[in-house]
Amino acid sequence: MSQAKHFQHYMLKEIYEQPLAVSETAHEKDASGRSLIERVPWSLDELKALNRICIAASGTSRHAGIAGKFMLEALARIPTEVDFASEFQHWPVVLGPELLMLVITQSGETTDTLGAMRKAKKHVGIHTKAGPELSVPSTKAFTAQLTALFLLALRLAEARGNISSEYAQQCAAELALIPEKLKSVLGMDQRCLELGHKYWKHEDFFFAGRGVHYAIAMDGALKLKEVSYIHAEGYPSGEILHGPLALIDDRVVVVVIATCDPSDSESIVRYEKTISNIKEFKARSGKVIALACQGDRNVEALVDDVLYIPAAPDMLSPILEIVPLQLLAYHIAVLRGLDVDRPRSLAKAVVRE
Ligand code: BG6
C-alpha cells in the first residue's frame, strides 16, 4: 500500500497487513539463505519415515490446521488428522518416529495447545512472519499460518519424491503471486461494507465450503461470532443437507464459498456440487452470499450477492477467500457498535482449561 492508511481498529489494520505477512512468511530467508521450513533440523530419513501427522490447535489456528490437512494429504500424501487441542491431550495418541505432531498457535500461550505439545518427544519451532497481532480475532496470523503450512507440505512432498521439482517450483510461483492478489482482494473493503449494511441485523448465518474451503467456512463463521456476537456456523456445503437445511428460511444468511480452479478437475467437481447446494439454499428462501472467482457469471444469477476474488489454485485460494469474510465480520460488528478488538468474554490467549 502506498499511502499510510489510518485504521479505526487493530483488526482492520491487521487485515490490511496480510499481503506483507504472507509475503514475509513465504520469502523470508535466514543468514544461510534458508526458508522457514528449510531450517527445521530434520533429516531426509526422518522426513521419509513419516507416515502420519497429528495437528492440534484451537480456534482460528485449528482452522488453519484443517486447510493444512488438505495440503499435506494432497501434496505429501501423508494421512493427517486435526484435533481440538483441548481434546487432543486426552487422546491415547500412539507416539513413534513415524508420527509428526503439529501444534499451531498464534500466541504460543494457549494452555490447551501447550498441553497437546507436551505429548511430543521432540520440539522444533516454525515461526511465521506475521508480526504482532493485537486484535483478539486472528486475521494475519491465520493467513501466515496457511502460508507456512503450504510451504511445509511442499517440502515434505519434495523430500518424499511425491512431486517433481518442476511442480514444486510451479507451486512456489503460484504462492509468490498471492500477496498481490491479496492487495486486490483488499480493494473489496467498500463492497464488504455495503454487504455489512445489508445484512448486519440478521441473527443467523451459515458459512459453507467444500474440501479445503471448509476451513474458510469455519473461520468465516468464527470471525463473525467473535466480533458481532451473531450466531454463525461453518459447515461442509453438502453436510447442510443432512439436518441444518431445516433451519434455512428468509431470516437466515448463507455464505457459500463457490470458487473454482478451472484447470483442476476435482475443483470443478466440488464447484458443481456447491452450485447444486446453492440452489437448495435459495429454494428455502435463504439469503445467499457467494464467494466466487472473478469472471464467474454462473453464480451471480443464483444468489443475492457475490463477492469476487482473483482465481488461484485450490490449495492457495483459502488465503484469499478468508479476507472478504474477515472484512464482512468487521463491518457488521462496527455497524452493531461493538468493540471488534476486545470482544466480550474473549481473550487473545486462553490461559485456562
Ligand atoms: C482464542 C481466540 O482465545 O484463542 C481465537 O479468540 C484464537 O481467535 C484461539 O484463534 C487460539 O489462539 P492461539 O494463540 O493458540 O492461536
Side-chain angles (χ1 to χ4, degrees):
M1 278 184 33
S2 53
Q3 78 283 7
K5 185 176 165 80
H6 173 70
F7 298 97
Q8 190 185 351
H9 298 97
Y10 282 114
M11 181 178 176
L12 190 61
K13 176 176 179 290
E14 288 157 2
I15 288 172
Y16 271 77
E17 287 173 348
Q18 291 184 113
L20 183 61
V22 168
S23 176
E24 289 287 293
T25 299
H27 302 122
E28 188 265 359
K29 304 285 189 196
D30 67 3
S32 312
R34 295 175 302 174
S35 75
L36 276 184
I37 307 297
E38 288 163 344
R39 67 189 79 149
V40 175
W42 45 28
S43 69
L44 199 53
D45 289 345
E46 284 175 316
L47 293 183
K48 289 182 173 178
L50 292 178
N51 67 20
R52 61 195 173 102
I53 297 174
C54 286
I55 298 175
S58 306
T60 292
S61 294
R62 187 179 75 89
H63 301 153
I66 295 172
K69 166 184 168 66
F70 192 94
M71 299 171 190
L72 289 160
E73 291 186 343
L75 288 172
R77 315 302 296 160
I78 303 175
T80 302
E81 68 176 68
V82 184
D83 289 311
F84 294 97
S86 58
E87 285 297 305
F88 184 79
Q89 52 196 318
H90 306 302
W91 283 57
V93 181
V94 177
L95 299 175
E98 80 292 344
L99 168 65
L100 171 63
M101 258 193 68
L102 278 179
V103 293
I104 303 173
T105 176
Q106 177 275 331
S107 63
E109 298 169 8
T110 300
T111 301
D112 289 329
T113 306
L114 297 178
M117 187 169 73
R118 279 192 285 274
K119 278 186 173 285
K121 290 193 173 137
K122 194 169 87 173
H123 301 167
V124 293
I126 298 175
H127 297 278
T128 66
K129 301 300 173 189
E133 184 179 72
L134 304 178
S135 187
V136 167
S138 186
T139 52
K140 63 173 183 173
F142 178 65
T143 44
Q145 288 167 350
L146 293 177
T147 304
L149 284 162
F150 183 73
L151 290 171
L152 175 62
L154 270 187
R155 174 80 179 97
L156 290 174
E158 258 200 301
R160 298 159 62 87
N162 294 103
I163 61 173
S164 66
S165 54
E166 291 75 24
Y167 182 72
Q169 284 165 18
Q170 279 174 29
C171 291
E174 285 287 354
L175 176 59
L177 298 175
I178 293 295
E180 282 308 307
K181 291 183 178 179
L182 274 171
K183 287 177 187 171
S184 154
V185 175
L186 288 169
M188 296 170 55
D189 194 358
Q190 187 57 34
R191 174 73 177 126
C192 293
L193 175 57
E194 287 165 13
L195 294 191
H197 278 289
K198 186 170 178 183
Y199 294 104
W200 71 283
K201 291 181 179 172
H202 283 266
E203 293 299 337
D204 284 291
F205 281 68
F206 280 107
F207 288 74
R210 277 182 186 271
V212 70
H213 313 291
Y214 165 56
I216 302 308
M218 290 297 291
D219 209 56
L222 181 61
K223 286 289 127 349
L224 189 64
K225 269 188 274 204
E226 283 184 316
V227 296
S228 68
Y229 315 153
I230 292 172
H231 179 248
E233 294 305 324
Y235 264 89
S237 306
E239 184 61 19
I240 291 180
L241 306 186
H242 303 281
L245 191 63
L247 295 178
I248 295 180
D249 59 25
D250 59 1
R251 294 165 300 171
V252 176
V253 181
V254 188
V255 181
V256 185
I257 299 164
T259 52
C260 179
D261 175 358
S263 68
D264 176 343
S265 58
E266 290 184 21
S267 178
I268 293 169
V269 169
R270 281 192 285 272
Y271 172 78
E272 289 170 349
K273 290 183 177 181
T274 299
I275 293 297
S276 167
N277 297 153
I278 285 175
K279 292 173 181 170
E280 294 262 9
F281 305 150
K282 277 307 292 174
R284 273 79 183 168
S285 69
K287 300 278 183 282
V288 179
I289 301 171
L291 206 55
C293 288
Q294 287 160 355
D296 181 341
R297 293 288 169 260
N298 181 28
V299 175
E300 196 170 18
L302 303 174
V303 299
D304 297 272
D305 292 283
V306 186
L307 288 165
Y308 286 108
I309 63 170
D314 260 19
M315 274 183 284
L316 287 170
S317 183
I319 299 174
L320 304 175
E321 291 162 2
I322 191 59
V323 176
L325 306 189
Q326 294 166 346
L327 289 168
L328 182 64
Y330 170 79
H331 288 304
I332 287 176
V334 170
L335 286 166
R336 284 184 162 224
L338 300 172
D339 182 347
V340 292
D341 287 328
R342 288 174 298 281
R344 69 184 181 196
S345 312
L346 300 183
K348 188 59 182 166
V350 176
V351 292
R352 65 189 186 285
E353 289 179 299

